[in-house]
Amino acid sequence: MALNQDKFSLTYSQQFLRLLNFLRQKCQDTSEAEDIAQESFSKLWQNRDKIEDGKETSFLFTIANNL
């Protein structure tokens, strides 16, 4: 099942701060971390048809780590 809008919104609300903190530690720059977090969620949404149910968080953190 693809990622729907409700599941995306839930993932965003549950994972945004966690992702942001992860990125702040990696790049030591809050502004850059915020940009990467937003881009990561954008890519998550763009690839929603490819994501298995329950894998959205790992997909999101993989995207962020690669960016």
Side-chain angles (χ1 to χ4, degrees), residues 14-66:
Q14 291 178 337
Q15 300 299 329
F16 183 79
L17 286 178
R18 185 172 163 231
L19 181 65
L20 187 59
N21 289 332
F22 168 76
L23 291 167
R24 277 189 200 137
Q25 287 182 323
K26 287 189 72 73
C27 60
Q28 302 294 310
D29 182 327
T30 299
S31 180
E32 184 178 359
E34 290 170 351
D35 290 346
I36 294 170
Q38 290 298 336
E39 187 174 349
S40 298
F41 275 101
S42 177
K43 288 185 180 288
L44 178 68
W45 181 250
Q46 291 168 3
N47 290 287
R48 65 189 176 275
D49 295 333
K50 303 174 188 173
I51 302 168
E52 292 180 41
D53 194 31
K55 303 284 186 179
E56 48 281 327
T57 300
S58 62
F59 191 88
L60 177 66
F61 275 79
T62 298
I63 291 169
N65 192 52
N66 289 340

